[in-house]
Structures are given as C-alpha cells and as structure tokens.
C-alpha cells in the first residue's frame, strides 16, 4: 500500500476531513438538479412521469455519489482531482438544464452529458491510479462503455423505449458497482479501495441531506410568494415548514449523528459507506416527493384531494421513513417500532386522504411525523446505543 500511495493521489491520513470549497460548489449543481426534478414531477404527476423522474433521480445520484467517492479517497488538493470535479460540475449543470425536455427533444443532451461524465471519470481514474487499483478502474471503464450503448440508443428513441433503455442503463451502472465491477483479472474493488475517510464521508451525506431539505423549503417559499398569502395557503406553507423540521429531526436523531462512528467502527467500511449512499438516495427521493406534495398543497389547499396528489402527500413521508428505518438498521442492525407503525399509519391514511382537502391530508402526514419524533424524544432518556461493529458487513451465517 505504501508503494501505491507514492504513485497515486490517495488522500493522505493527515489531510483535512472537512469538505473542500470545491466540493461545496459542486453541491450547487445538485441543488439545480433537485429543483428541476421536483418541478418535473409536478408537471408530470402520473405513473409514466414518476418513472421518468425516478430514472433522472438515479442518474443524478450516481453522478454525485461517484464524485464523492473520488474526493473521499483521492487527495482533493491535487490539481487533477480538482479538474475532475470541475468537469463533473459543468456536466451536471448541463444535464440539469436538459431535464425538462430529457424525455423530449433534449434527450441527446441529457444522455450525452451523463455518458461523457461517466466515461471521463473512469478514464481519469485509469490514468492516475496504479497497480490493482488501476485494473479495477479499467474494469469500471469497460462497464461504463457497455452502459453507454443503451444510453445513446435511448437518446435516439422516444416514449416508452427511451424510458426502458435508460432505466436499464442506470440499473446496470448501479448493479456493476454493487458487484465491484466484475471483470477477469481485476479483482474486487472493495479489496483494494483506499481507506474510507469516515468523518469526511459522513459529513458529505449530511450535507446532501441538508441540500435536499433546502430544496423543499425553497419550493414552499416560492410557491407561497407566487400564489399569494391567503390564509389557507399560509397555513399550508407553515405545515410544509413543520414537515421539513420534522424530517431533519428524525434524520439526525442518533443514527444520523453516529454515521461517522459507524463507518469508522466496521472492518468493511467501503461496504457500509456504499449502503449508506443507497439509503440516502431513498431519503432524497422521499424529500423530493414531499416537496412536490407541499408545492401542490400550497397552490391549491382546498377542494378534494386527487388520488395522485394523495399518494404524493402521504407517499413522500412514507418513503422517507422507509429510508430512515434502513438507515437505523445499517447503523444499529435493528429498527425501532416507531418507523414501522408510522409507515403503516401513512399507508392506511392514503385512501382516507382522497376524501379530504389537500391541506388536511398534509396536516395528517405531518401529524404522523410528529408522533415519530415524539417517540424518539421519549427514548432520549435511554442510553444511546453504540453502532453495531457488524453494520454493513455481509452475513456469513
């Protein structure tokens, strides 16, 4: 490992563990992407629109998570690493600008930007890494070339064919990453990964969570300002802000605060950090869906709640609680009963919400989150559990 460190820009142990200015600047591209995603779903609130939004969210998250991996494992002070981040920042902004018409006339821009970033990063890693790390990077580059085929094919098709091809392409990218880029002679990337900078990685996950929460607050404020300060709209705005505060409270309660310790406590920190990334994807999805519901409720708080809107209003918090339950299991290898009950109550409320005004449906969803947060507060009197030493590790039993 000492020989490898001498040849490649691996993050030195004495390097600062805080996110760099350039990493924070890169997060601004994610702000733009999440805003576009929530706006797209508002304009396409049906099953096909939801599927298209999911494909775009998976694509954006893949960009962010690989960039975070690069800045966590490699020295962010090296010029080559900084140029890689700047290139990804530019490509992400281009991709975000194409989102409103990603499944229309700008499909080739969306797919082209992603493929260029995806292949370009692995070319960069192949050039700067050495030894076994370089072979893993080369295997990842080969797989990036394979997934580029359905990406480009989808860009020249339309409708359901584009959704299917892009869905297959992004699923392939996630699967091969989970399987450590299987390729003859490359070995497993987890066997040769540089050590995880636990404090830095946990901070990056917390920052992206705050970014998503900020997008929810931004959408709520903009919608209220655009539609006017009628009493019912103002009440809906206050419910949305309360919901955002509850989401933040539920996230940070113990498991969120202990993520860094959990990553540092396990032997296979790469595996745990990867699963933490997938779980934060569920968090982000839940927040985006919640933002869509809040925007629509603030715009039209009265009247009868349409089925699609009821699913969004209750489904966003439900998706969030599901992610929180997975998060808790990842850190502690257990799930508290409050998450399960909250999910069941949200599911039971969904048919009822279709017979209520949107404002009351949103208030009911917030009430469920209040119950979860109150249950968490009651458990504060108990000693905080330590992260499981086997968290994120494979079960060999």
């Amino acid at each position: 490992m000492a020989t490898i460190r001498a040849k490649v820009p691996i993050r030195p142990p004495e390097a600062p563990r805080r996110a760099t200015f350039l990493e924070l600047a890169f997060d601004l591209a994610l702000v733009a992407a999440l805003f576009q995603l929530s706006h797209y779903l508002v304009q396409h609130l049906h099953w096909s629109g939801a599927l298209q939004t999911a494909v775009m969210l998976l694509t954006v998250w893949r960009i962010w998570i690989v960039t975070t991996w690069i800045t966590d494992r490699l020295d962010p002070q090296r010029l080559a690493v900084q140029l890689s981040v700047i290139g990804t920042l530019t490509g992400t902004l281009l991709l975000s600008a194409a989102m409103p018409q990603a499944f229309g006339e700008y499909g080739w821009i969306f797919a082209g930007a992603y493929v260029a970033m995806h292949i370009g990063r692995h070319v960069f890693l192949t050039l700067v890494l050495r030894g076994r790390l370089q072979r893993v990077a080369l295997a990842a580059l080969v797989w990036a070339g394979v997934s580029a085929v359905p990406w480009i094919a989808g860009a020249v098709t339309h409708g359901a064919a584009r959704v299917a091809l892009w869905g297959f392409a992004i699923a392939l990218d996630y699967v091969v990453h989970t399987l450590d880029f299987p390729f003859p002679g490359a070995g497993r990337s987890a066997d040769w990964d540089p050590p995880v900078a636990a404090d830095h990685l946990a901070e990056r996950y917390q920052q992206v969570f705050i970014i998503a929460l900020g997008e929810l607050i931004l959408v709520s404020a903009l919608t209220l300002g655009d539609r006017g300060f009628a009493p019912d709209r103002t009440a809906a705005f206050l419910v949305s802000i309360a919901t955002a505060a509850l989401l933040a409270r539920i996230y940070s309660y113990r498991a969120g605060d202990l993520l860094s310790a959990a990553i540092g406590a396990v032997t296979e920190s790469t595996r745990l950090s990867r699963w933490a990334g997938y779980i934060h994807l569920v968090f982000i999805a839940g927040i985006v869906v919640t933002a869509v519901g809040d925007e629509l409720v603030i715009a039209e708080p009265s009247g009868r709640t349409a089925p699609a809107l009821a699913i969004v209003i209750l489904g966003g918090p439900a998706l969030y609680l599901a992610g929180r339950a997975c998060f808790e299991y990842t850190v502690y290898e257990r799930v508290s009963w409050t998450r399960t009950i909250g999910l069941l109550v949200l599911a039971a409320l969904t048919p009822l919400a279709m017979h209520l005004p949107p404002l009351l449906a949103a208030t009911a969803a917030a009430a469920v989150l209040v119950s979860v947060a109150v249950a968490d507060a009651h458990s504060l009197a108990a000693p905080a559990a330590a992260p499981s030493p086997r968290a994120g590790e494979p079960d060999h039993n």
Side-chain angles (χ1 to χ4, degrees), residues 21-317:
F21 178 83
L22 187 56
E23 289 177 276
L24 298 178
F26 170 72
D27 286 346
L28 295 178
L30 186 64
V31 173
L34 293 179
F35 184 84
Q36 292 280 48
L37 281 170
S38 63
H39 186 69
Y40 186 90
L41 186 55
V42 167
Q43 300 296 323
H44 302 81
L45 197 58
H46 43 70
W47 288 114
S48 60
L51 187 57
Q52 292 167 0
T53 304
V55 169
M56 292 191 289
L57 175 60
L58 287 168
T59 304
V60 170
W61 186 252
R62 179 69 181 153
I63 295 169
W64 186 87
I65 202 69
V66 173
T67 305
T68 299
W69 182 95
I70 290 175
T71 56
D72 187 72
R73 314 302 172 79
L74 305 186
D75 187 352
Q77 302 302 323
R78 295 290 190 96
L79 179 60
V81 177
Q82 294 174 349
L83 290 176
S84 173
V85 175
I86 292 172
T88 305
L89 166 63
T90 305
T92 304
L93 290 173
L94 184 64
L95 181 144
S96 299
M99 277 184 181
Q101 287 295 322
F103 291 90
E105 62 179 320
Y106 293 154
W108 63 276
I109 298 178
F110 184 89
Y114 176 78
V115 169
M117 285 185 284
H118 195 39
I119 292 180
R121 283 179 309 207
H122 291 304
V123 168
F124 161 73
L125 292 173
T126 302
L127 292 175
V128 302
L129 298 177
R130 298 292 184 271
R132 293 186 175 94
L133 286 172
Q134 186 181 54
R135 288 199 288 274
V136 172
L138 182 59
L141 176 60
V142 172
W143 280 113
V146 172
S147 71
V149 175
W151 275 111
I152 300 303
V156 298
T157 58
H158 302 280
R162 178 174 295 180
V163 176
L165 285 167
W166 284 1
F168 170 77
I170 193 62
L172 179 63
D173 288 337
Y174 276 90
V175 168
V176 297
H177 184 201
T178 302
L179 297 177
D180 296 321
F181 307 107
F183 197 78
R188 296 172 63 249
S189 64
D191 293 336
W192 310 110
D193 263 345
V196 172
D199 292 341
H200 172 264
L201 195 61
E203 181 187 25
R204 295 297 290 136
Y205 285 140
Q206 292 163 358
Q207 286 166 347
V208 77
F209 173 83
I210 292 298
I211 285 171
L213 209 59
E215 191 272 336
L216 186 156
I217 296 171
L218 175 64
V219 166
S220 298
L222 292 177
T223 305
L224 179 64
D226 182 60
R227 293 302 183 114
F229 290 80
D232 54 353
R233 291 196 177 99
T234 303
F237 169 76
L238 294 176
V239 170
S240 73
I241 298 304
T243 299
L246 289 165
L247 295 179
R249 178 68 181 88
I250 293 169
Y251 173 85
S252 63
Y253 172 73
R254 289 187 174 170
D257 292 336
L258 291 175
L259 179 59
S260 174
I263 294 176
V266 300
T267 55
E268 292 200 30
S269 57
T270 297
R271 185 181 298 274
L272 176 57
S273 62
R274 179 184 302 161
W275 281 110
Y278 295 155
I279 292 167
H280 277 75
L281 170 60
V282 180
F283 278 136
I284 302 306
I287 294 174
V288 167
V289 174
T290 301
V292 170
D294 287 348
E295 178 176 352
L296 294 172
V297 171
I298 294 171
E300 296 293 341
S302 304
R304 188 168 178 174
T305 304
L309 180 55
I311 292 173
V312 167
I313 293 173
L314 280 302

Side-chain angles (χ1 to χ4, degrees), residues 314-332:
L314 280 302
L319 189 59
Y320 183 88
L321 286 182
R324 184 58 178 78
C326 294
F327 190 34
E328 186 175 15
Y329 183 80
T330 299
V331 174
Y332 294 122

Side-chain angles (χ1 to χ4, degrees), residues 366-392:
V368 174
L369 296 177
V370 168
S371 300
V372 174
V374 168
D376 286 345
H378 278 299
S379 65
L380 278 173
S388 169
R390 298 183 65 253

